[in-house]
């Protein structure tokens, strides 16, 4: 049992557990410290050259995204992230104007909250569908089509009349359908183009952009609404979606690519991997691969939208496959831990106008936007904290654990989440109901909750679907719950629920490896006939 993690009975390798098997332990330790990245099973060469073995191994095709020059990979990712950033402004754009919308549409806070809730529902369903459709169509057409949906939804929202509630909901649903791809597929795209040791900082950048823009949008939205009306926000967004669509067409080539299993060195045995690389000089030597005869695609050829099918599996098999994954202990824990925190974070924004647009605050849209200043800073601080400490912590624990990396090391992030998120939730309820307390105090407490939300992010398709359904459902009851119980009791209850989940994470840390081994023996996906089939190329 290493560092409190219980070993499964019977021994044997458990997927996810990684042993650094360099014969020279000193060289292994130096390589870990020099590269500052998470240690994966075959991340380091066994030869004396001191380079990093690429995981996964690139094929011999010049069109393999893993073989693209780094500038091309980064340009593709930046293009996708730009479209993501614009899409992320859609959801929180209404946060500072709930009070104004209840008056303009002569409706309740619950109905206005549903304007956002239905968008989350559409995002979750579209995210699942997009993950399936990329196996047939590839990434490129899905990104382009999704951006068109978001553009159309933003334009529709900017033209909605004061009597058209159904149209408002329809516009938000269309926006959610478009956003689903950018919530689900970006991490997959990073995996398509980058080697394991290159992914961490790119994923952190994407997450920072996603949450940073989401929390900063209400600051601008409040100002724009006060000066030009809330519809102006959607006109601006619609205008920005046009260059985003052009950039995706020009600078986001198809990067879904299926290579032979022998190149997946993180999945196959050590003996089947014979490729090596000198990362510092950019030189590659694929000793087992044949010389490529496939011509390299030109820029004009890469503009082709549809590039063929990428899976032999049927549509329904791919659609159903994520649902059994929800039964895995790790998925259940991630949903309870991350899904609830994200929901509480969104819940705060949903009921913000109920609290601050009413006496004693009587905030206008601009002042409502100011409340999001601290959450924006909190999101930035959380990612700085992750980038400075998380990899180093895992490296330290891996060395302490006889150079064996365990996925359960990630669960230690529960500690800062527990210390910031739970107190932030509970104190937020007390602060908003304390007479005479300056508004900056609730804003800072909201920022503490934001830090916890960002630190808890662990995206996967099944959890994304659950989280969005949970968030959608919460928009139906949060407003009424706040009226019946009051802010103090509501946020105290949220905090206590989250505290129980955080403390329960100890069980996942201790027994996570045992449960991973159990799920391997059960072979749930194989028994249900949902194991992925062969793919083309």
């Amino acid at each position: 049992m290493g560092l409190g993690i219980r070993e499964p009975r019977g021994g044997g390798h458990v997927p996810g557990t990684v042993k650094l098997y360099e014969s020279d332990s000193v060289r292994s330790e130096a390589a870990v410290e020099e590269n500052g990245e998470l240690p994966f099973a075959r991340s380091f060469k066994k030869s004396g050259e001191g380079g990093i073995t690429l995981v996964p191994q690139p094929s011999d095709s010049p069109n393999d995204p893993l073989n693209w020059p780094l500038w091309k990979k980064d340009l593709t990712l930046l293009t996708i992230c730009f479209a993501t950033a614009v899409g992320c402004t859609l959801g929180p754009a209404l946060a500072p104007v709930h009070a104004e919308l209840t008056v303009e549409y002569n409706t309740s806070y619950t109905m206005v909250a549903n304007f956002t809730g239905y968008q989350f529902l559409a995002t979750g369903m579209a995210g699942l569908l997009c993950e399936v459709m990329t196996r047939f169509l590839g990434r490129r057409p899905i990104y382009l089509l999704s951006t068109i949906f978001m553009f159309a939804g933003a334009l529709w929202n900017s033209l909605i009349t004061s009597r058209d509630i159904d149209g408002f909901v329809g516009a938000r649903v269309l926006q959610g359908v478009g956003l689903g791809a950018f919530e689900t597929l970006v991490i997959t795209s990073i995996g398509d183009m980058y080697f394991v040791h290159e992914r961490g900082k790119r994923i952190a950048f994407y997450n920072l952009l996603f949450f940073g823009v989401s929390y900063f949008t209400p600051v601008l939205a409040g100002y724009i609404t006060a000066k030009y009306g809330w519809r102006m926000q959607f006109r601006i967004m619609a205008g920005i979606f046009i260059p985003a669509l052009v950039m995706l067409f020009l600078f986001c080539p198809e990067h879904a690519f299926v290579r032979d299993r022998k190149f997946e060195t993180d999945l196959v045995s050590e003996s089947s991997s014979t490729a090596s690389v000198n990362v510092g000089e950019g030189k590659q030597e694929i000793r087992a691969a044949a010389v490529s005869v496939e011509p390299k695609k030109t820029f004009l050829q890469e503009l082709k939208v549809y590039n063929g099918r990428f899976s032999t599996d049927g549509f329904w098999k791919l659609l159903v496959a994520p649902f059994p994954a929800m039964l895995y202990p790790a998925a259940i824990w991630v949903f309870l831990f991350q899904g609830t925190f994200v929901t509480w974070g969104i819940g705060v924004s949903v009921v913000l106008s109920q609290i601050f647009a009413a006496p004693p605050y009587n905030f206008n849209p601009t002042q409502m936007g100011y409340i999001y200043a601290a959450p924006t800073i909190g999101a930035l601080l959380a990612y700085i904290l992750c980038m400075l400490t998380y990899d180093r912590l895992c490296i330290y624990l891996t060395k302490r654990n006889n150079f064996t990396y365990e996925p359960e090391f990630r669960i230690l992030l529960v500690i800062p989440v527990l210390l910031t998120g739970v107190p932030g939730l509970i104190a937020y309820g007390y602060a908003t109901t304390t007479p005479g307390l300056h508004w900056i105090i609730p804003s800072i407490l909201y920022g503490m909750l934001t830090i916890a939300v960002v630190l808890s992010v662990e995206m996967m398709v099944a959890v994304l679907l659950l989280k969005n359904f949970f968030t959608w459902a919460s928009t139906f009851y949060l407003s009424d719950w706040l009226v019946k119980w009051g802010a103090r009791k509501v946020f105290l209850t949220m905090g206590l629920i989250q505290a129980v989940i955080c403390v329960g994470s100890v069980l996942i840390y201790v027994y996570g490896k045992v449960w991973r081994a159990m799920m391997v023996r059960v072979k749930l996906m194989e028994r249900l006939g949902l194991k992925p089939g062969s793919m083309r190329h």
Side-chain angles (χ1 to χ4, degrees), residues 333 337 407-415 505-506 508-509 512:
W333 174 78
F337 179 57
E408 284 73 25
F409 292 161
R410 297 185 179 193
I411 298 176
L412 294 177
L413 279 177
V414 169
I415 297 173
S505 301
V506 174
I508 301 294
Y509 180 84

Side-chain angles (χ1 to χ4, degrees), residues 179-225:
L179 187 59
F182 293 92
E183 269 206 13
T184 309
L185 298 181
V186 180
I187 301 300
T188 304
S189 292
I190 292 174
D192 289 335
M193 296 184 289
Y194 296 94
F195 302 106
V196 166
H197 71 279
E198 298 174 325
R199 295 174 188 170
K201 291 180 176 62
R202 272 90 181 175
I203 293 174
F205 173 75
Y206 162 72
N207 285 331
L208 172 60
L209 192 70
F210 192 95
F211 282 99
V213 169
S214 297
Y215 284 111
F216 182 66
T217 294
V219 179
L220 292 178
Y223 173 79
I224 293 172
T225 296

Side-chain angles (χ1 to χ4, degrees), residues 200-426:
K201 291 180 176 62
R202 272 90 181 175
I203 293 174
F205 173 75
Y206 162 72
N207 285 331
L208 172 60
L209 192 70
F210 192 95
F211 282 99
V213 169
S214 297
Y215 284 111
F216 182 66
T217 294
V219 179
L220 292 178
Y223 173 79
I224 293 172
T225 296
K227 198 169 182 67
Y228 304 104
W230 62 265
R231 289 175 178 80
M232 180 58 71
Q233 301 177 62
F234 292 98
R235 295 184 189 127
I236 294 172
M237 294 174 202
I240 301 177
F241 274 123
I242 295 175
L245 184 62
V246 173
M247 289 178 62
L248 282 170
F249 180 76
L250 294 176
F251 306 125
C252 182
E254 182 56 67
H255 43 276
F257 188 89
V258 183
R259 59 191 63 83
D260 192 278
R261 184 177 173 83
K262 68 183 179 181
F263 296 111
E264 300 292 338
T265 53
D266 49 345
L267 300 177
V268 298
S269 64
E270 172 187 350
S271 61
S272 65
S273 175
T274 60
S276 63
V277 66
N278 187 317
V279 174
E281 299 177 9
K283 299 177 181 177
Q284 298 181 22
E285 178 188 354
I286 311 297
R287 292 190 285 271
V291 177
S292 173
V293 294
E294 180 183 352
K296 184 178 180 180
K297 291 182 180 180
T298 65
F299 175 74
L300 290 179
Q301 288 174 327
E302 288 184 333
L303 294 181
K304 183 179 178 182
V305 174
Y306 177 65
N307 292 270
R309 182 167 172 165
F310 290 83
S311 176
T312 59
D313 289 328
F315 174 81
W316 292 108
K317 177 180 177 179
L318 293 172
L319 184 66
V320 173
F323 291 94
M326 298 177 186
L327 301 177
Y328 283 69
I332 295 172
W333 174 78
V334 170
F335 165 63
L336 290 175
F337 179 57
Q338 182 243 344
T340 50
F341 254 126
V342 171
T343 299
W344 304 147
I346 294 171
V348 171
S349 67
V350 167
V351 299
L352 205 66
S353 290
Q354 278 182 265
I355 296 173
F356 288 96
Y361 295 102
N362 297 315
F363 276 9
N364 59 39
T366 302
Q367 293 170 312
M368 294 289 295
Y370 292 159
I371 298 175
Y372 286 86
T376 303
I377 296 172
L380 180 61
L381 290 177
Y383 274 102
I384 292 175
L385 178 63
C386 277
M387 293 184 69
L388 292 179
T389 63
Y390 178 56
D391 279 358
R392 289 181 173 86
L393 174 63
C394 287
I395 291 169
Y396 171 76
L397 293 174
T398 299
K399 291 194 295 184
R400 287 285 305 273
N401 196 35
N402 193 27
F403 283 93
T404 301
Y405 172 78
E406 301 284 5
E408 284 73 25
F409 292 161
R410 297 185 179 193
I411 298 176
L412 294 177
L413 279 177
V414 169
I415 297 173
V417 170
L418 179 64
L419 294 177
T420 57
V422 174
L425 267 173
I426 296 174

Side-chain angles (χ1 to χ4, degrees), residues 22 27-28 30-32 34-35 43-53 276-280:
E22 285 276 2
R27 180 180 302 279
S28 297
V32 172
E34 177 182 352
N35 291 286
S43 295
F44 303 101
K45 293 175 61 178
K46 294 196 296 180
S47 65
E49 299 175 21
I52 300 177
T53 300
S276 63
V277 66
N278 187 317
V279 174

Side-chain angles (χ1 to χ4, degrees), residues 51-111:
I52 300 177
T53 300
L54 300 180
V55 181
Q57 289 290 301
S59 69
D60 58 321
S61 170
N63 299 311
D64 186 340
L66 292 174
N67 289 325
W68 289 354
L70 189 59
W71 67 264
K72 183 175 181 179
K73 299 179 184 182
D74 287 342
L75 178 60
T76 302
L77 180 60
L78 283 173
T79 300
I80 295 171
C81 285
F82 175 67
T84 302
V86 184
C88 287
T89 63
L90 293 168
L94 298 180
V97 296
H98 280 198
E100 284 69 22
L101 291 175
T102 59
V103 174
E104 180 175 342
Y105 284 86
N106 191 27
T107 188
S108 65
Y109 274 104
T110 299
M111 187 64 230

